[in-house]
């Protein structure tokens, strides 16, 4: 469990700024867990799109330079000096798209080949000192069909931001191709967010939030899951991402149930996950960690800001006395509605409530996390100058995925435009067998189907 964050450098020149609290969490996680999920070579945020239409490579290259100049985090390095970490903003540069020839792929196999291309582009490592701090990979099937991958360094950029980058890339591309009215929207910069975070004077609201968490988490225990193997104590072997799909028929009924209960799909799916954990661990009242877009993203002001905002938030929902799945969802819905207004950056929660947070430590055990895909607009498409960009929905598993700590297991769910539920489980190659994760996802899917089929049936019949 990370402790109070190390001091960051002051904002002492236009080219330097301190870390945001969310970045401090990543750093501390890396320092104390010894994993590469903090500031190692493969903590990345990425996105992939299928491109339809003729591509002007010169315009695309120039548009990437425009995006890097537009968003400071895409040209920012993290430096350690005298026990302090600071962000160093570098001059603009023009990333060179890495173009691959995929013309040998049969037309019927292109969808699978596109996913494989994205998986391989994520597996490449960054030079931690950079540049570049963002990579663009373009795989070309033919003159009007391609796949685009944008991969950025996670400490500077989150997944939400990757989709902002694509949106702005298309706007600049259209402008360079002579489209009238093209050009990106200007949101406040990430340095403004960092400055706002450190100069906030709303002490009353902050104290109320810390009081809430101290009360809510008092006496709580973490829900932890056993791994197939203990940690080796050496360098982590890497992360595997196993994907699974819930068919559209069940996915649509899941979202319909959420609407009927005035809650989000996350609340329904998280309820299923809590039951799954309860049956496998015997714990029905405990804390499960959720990754959220962050308290900053909840404010409209920062919606268009490229940077790293992701936060880890504890959710406690006592479902020990729930009789039906509907009651579990209602309990989770109440817990979420209570907690979200009090969300604070994780490192601040640790600093202000060390006794409570320290009680949630479980050495040697694996901590489960659960999240939904970060934003609705990631389902959308973007077009410019005859080029149409559609997000690729991922179904292929990855043997070498963006890192998570070896003492964590992270579930991610996404709702596709067709209603499918696309799931992924990131786990340590060292700690878990593929067959163990597959058994988990199979049990989760079976439990989801039974719960949605009969939300008012006795829970022990589900």
């Amino acid at each position: 469990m990370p402790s109070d964050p190390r001091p960051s450098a002051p904002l002492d020149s236009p080219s330097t700024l301190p870390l945001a609290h969310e970045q401090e969490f990543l750093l501390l996680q890396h320092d104390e867990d010894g994993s590469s999920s903090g500031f190692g070579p493969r903590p990345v945020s990425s996105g992939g799109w299928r491109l339809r239409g003729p591509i002007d490579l010169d315009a695309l290259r120039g548009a990437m330079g425009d995006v890097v100049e537009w968003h400071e985090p895409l040209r920012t390095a993290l430096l350690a000096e005298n026990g302090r970490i600071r962000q160093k903003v570098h001059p603009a540069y023009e990333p060179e798209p890495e173009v691959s020839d995929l013309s040998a792929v049969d037309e019927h196999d292109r969808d699978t080949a596109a996913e494989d291309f994205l998986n391989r582009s994520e597996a490449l490592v960054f030079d931690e000192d950079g540049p570049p701090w963002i990579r663009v990979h373009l795989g070309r099937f033919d003159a009007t069909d391609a796949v685009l991958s944008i991969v950025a360094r996670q400490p500077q950029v989150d997944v939400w931001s990757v989709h902002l980058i694509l949106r702005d890339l298309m706007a600049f591309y259209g402008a360079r191709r002579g489209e009238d009215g093209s050009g990106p929207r200007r949101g406040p910069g990430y340095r403004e967010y960092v400055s706002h975070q450190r100069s906030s004077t709303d002490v009353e609201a902050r104290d109320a939030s810390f009081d809430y968490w101290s009360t809510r988490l008092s006496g709580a225990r973490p829900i932890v899951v056993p791994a197939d193997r203990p940690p080796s104590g050496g360098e982590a072997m890497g992360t595997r991402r196993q994907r699974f799909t819930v068919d559209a028929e069940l996915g649509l009924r899941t979202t319909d149930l959420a609407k009927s209960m005035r809650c989000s799909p996350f609340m329904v799916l998280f309820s299923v996950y809590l039951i799954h954990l309860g049956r496998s661990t015997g714990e029905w009242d405990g804390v499960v960690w959720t990754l959220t877009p962050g308290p900053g993203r909840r404010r409209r002001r920062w919606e268009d800001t490229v940077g790293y905002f992701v936060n880890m938030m504890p959710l406690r929902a006592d479902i020990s006395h729930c009789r039906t799945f509907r009651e579990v969802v209602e309990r989770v819905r109440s817990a979420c509605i209570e907690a979200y207004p009090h969300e604070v950056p994780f490192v601040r929660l640790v600093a202000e409530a060390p006794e409570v947070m320290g009680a949630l430590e479980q050495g040697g055990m694996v901590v489960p996390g659960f999240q939904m895909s970060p934003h609705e607009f990631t389902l959308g498409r973007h077009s410019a100058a005859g080029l149409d960009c559609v997000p690729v929905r991922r179904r292929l598993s990855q043997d070498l995925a963006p890192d998570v700590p070896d003492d964590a297991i992270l579930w991610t769910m996404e709702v596709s435009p067709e209603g499918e539920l696309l799931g992924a489980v990131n786990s340590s190659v060292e700690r878990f067998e593929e067959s163990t994760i597959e058994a988990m996802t199979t049990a989760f899917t079976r439990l989801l189907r039974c719960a949605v089929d009969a939300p008012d049936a006795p829970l022990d019949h589900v």
Side-chain angles (χ1 to χ4, degrees):
M1 186 69 66
S3 56
D4 196 20
R6 69 179 66 186
S8 298
L11 185 56
D12 53 8
S13 81
S15 65
T16 63
L17 63 155
L19 299 182
H21 294 320
E22 294 83 355
Q23 293 173 310
E24 288 175 333
F25 164 66
L26 279 183
L27 174 62
L28 289 162
Q29 187 181 55
H30 175 52
D31 284 350
E32 300 197 4
D33 294 341
S35 70
S36 58
S37 62
F39 296 169
R42 198 177 290 109
V44 300
S45 299
S46 64
W49 296 266
R50 196 70 172 270
L51 307 186
R52 307 285 189 177
I55 301 172
D56 182 335
L57 280 177
D58 288 336
L60 182 65
R61 184 182 299 108
M64 276 307 308
D66 295 335
V67 169
V68 169
E69 184 174 6
W70 193 255
H71 297 297
E72 278 189 346
L74 305 185
R75 46 191 170 91
T76 298
L78 299 171
L79 306 175
E81 290 184 356
N82 301 319
R84 295 177 180 269
I85 302 295
R86 64 187 177 97
Q87 302 190 75
K88 172 73 173 179
V89 180
H90 287 260
Y93 64 96
E94 192 172 272
E96 182 68 29
E98 300 179 26
V99 182
S100 301
D101 182 3
L102 304 180
S103 59
V105 177
D106 185 270
E107 186 172 356
H108 299 291
D109 298 328
R110 288 182 179 181
D111 288 348
T112 300
E115 286 195 53
D116 181 65
F117 179 81
L118 298 176
N119 287 353
R120 286 186 284 111
S121 69
E122 285 182 358
L124 300 174
V125 299
F126 276 94
D127 178 351
E128 293 188 52
D129 297 323
W133 295 283
I134 182 171
R135 293 197 308 261
V136 181
H137 303 267
L138 183 68
R140 306 196 72 172
F141 296 111
D142 59 38
T144 60
D145 187 4
V147 56
L148 176 73
S149 169
I150 296 177
V151 186
R153 290 270 296 147
Q154 189 182 77
Q156 290 95 336
V157 175
D158 57 21
V159 173
W160 182 316
S161 296
V162 172
H163 290 268
L164 292 174
I165 292 166
L166 184 278
R167 183 199 66 187
D168 292 349
L169 175 65
M170 286 295 98
F172 279 122
Y173 179 84
R176 284 181 170 267
R177 293 284 295 165
E179 278 194 343
D180 292 336
S182 291
R185 297 197 297 267
R186 170 67 81 180
Y190 194 57
R191 66 169 54 237
E192 293 178 57
Y193 173 69
V194 174
S195 176
H196 168 80
Q197 195 177 61
R198 279 168 163 69
S199 62
S200 177
T201 57
D202 194 350
V203 176
E204 185 175 339
R206 183 192 64 193
D207 290 347
S209 291
F210 291 138
D211 288 344
Y212 166 81
W213 289 112
S214 294
T215 301
R216 182 64 181 159
L217 299 178
S218 179
R221 302 200 309 172
I223 296 180
V224 295
V225 296
D228 293 322
R229 291 177 292 273
S232 65
E235 185 175 349
M237 296 172 59
T239 295
R240 180 189 299 115
R241 176 179 289 164
Q242 291 175 240
R243 289 190 165 92
F244 66 100
T245 303
V246 176
D247 63 73
E249 182 269 336
L250 178 54
L252 290 171
R253 289 198 293 120
T254 300
T255 54
D256 286 343
L257 177 62
K259 291 177 184 176
S260 72
M261 296 189 66
R262 299 175 61 197
C263 65
S264 67
F266 167 82
M267 296 173 187
V268 173
L269 294 168
F270 188 66
S271 297
V272 175
Y273 188 59
L274 286 181
I275 298 171
H276 167 71
L277 287 176
R279 291 182 173 177
S280 59
T281 67
E283 295 286 348
W284 300 92
D285 176 15
V287 172
V288 176
W289 299 99
T290 61
L291 290 184
T292 77
R297 291 291 194 198
R298 297 189 192 284
R299 299 188 177 187
R300 187 176 300 274
R301 178 180 179 185
W302 310 110
E303 283 186 350
D304 292 325
T305 300
V306 167
Y308 189 79
F309 289 81
V310 175
N311 191 43
M312 190 166 79
M313 187 178 77
L315 270 183
R316 181 184 186 183
D318 181 1
I319 62 171
S320 57
H321 300 295
C322 293
R323 296 166 298 176
T324 66
F325 179 67
R326 188 181 299 276
E327 289 185 9
V328 174
V329 177
E330 289 171 347
R331 188 66 56 87
V332 167
R333 178 179 181 271
S334 295
C336 290
I337 290 174
E338 286 181 5
Y340 288 149
H342 295 289
E343 184 179 6
V344 295
F346 179 75
V347 292
R348 298 307 310 150
L349 186 58
V350 171
E352 295 294 334
E355 298 84 4
V356 173
M357 300 304 291
L360 297 180
E361 293 187 49
Q362 285 281 340
M365 300 298 289
V366 174
V367 179
F370 195 89
Q371 68 174 354
M372 288 290 288
S373 182
H375 198 268
E376 293 179 359
F377 77 79
T378 64
L379 301 177
R381 60 200 302 162
H382 300 275
S383 299
L387 190 60
D388 196 26
C389 302
V390 179
V392 175
R393 300 298 152 205
R394 313 278 285 276
R395 293 171 174 80
L396 290 184
S397 295
Q398 296 167 259
D399 290 329
L400 193 58
D403 290 315
V404 299
D406 65 1
D407 64 351
I409 181 170
L410 176 63
W411 290 59
T412 301
M413 300 298 297
E414 176 182 355
V415 181
S416 80
E418 297 75 27
E420 291 176 302
L421 301 177
L422 307 179
V425 181
N426 281 34
S427 63
S428 165
V429 172
E430 178 183 18
R431 306 293 303 277
F432 288 96
E433 297 286 354
E434 289 184 62
S435 58
T436 300
I437 305 301
E438 183 177 358
M440 290 181 184
T441 60
T442 299
F444 175 88
T445 304
R446 184 185 303 118
L447 181 57
L448 173 64
R449 184 174 298 279
C450 292
V452 172
D453 282 345
D456 296 305
L459 200 56
D460 56 2
H461 291 179
V462 175

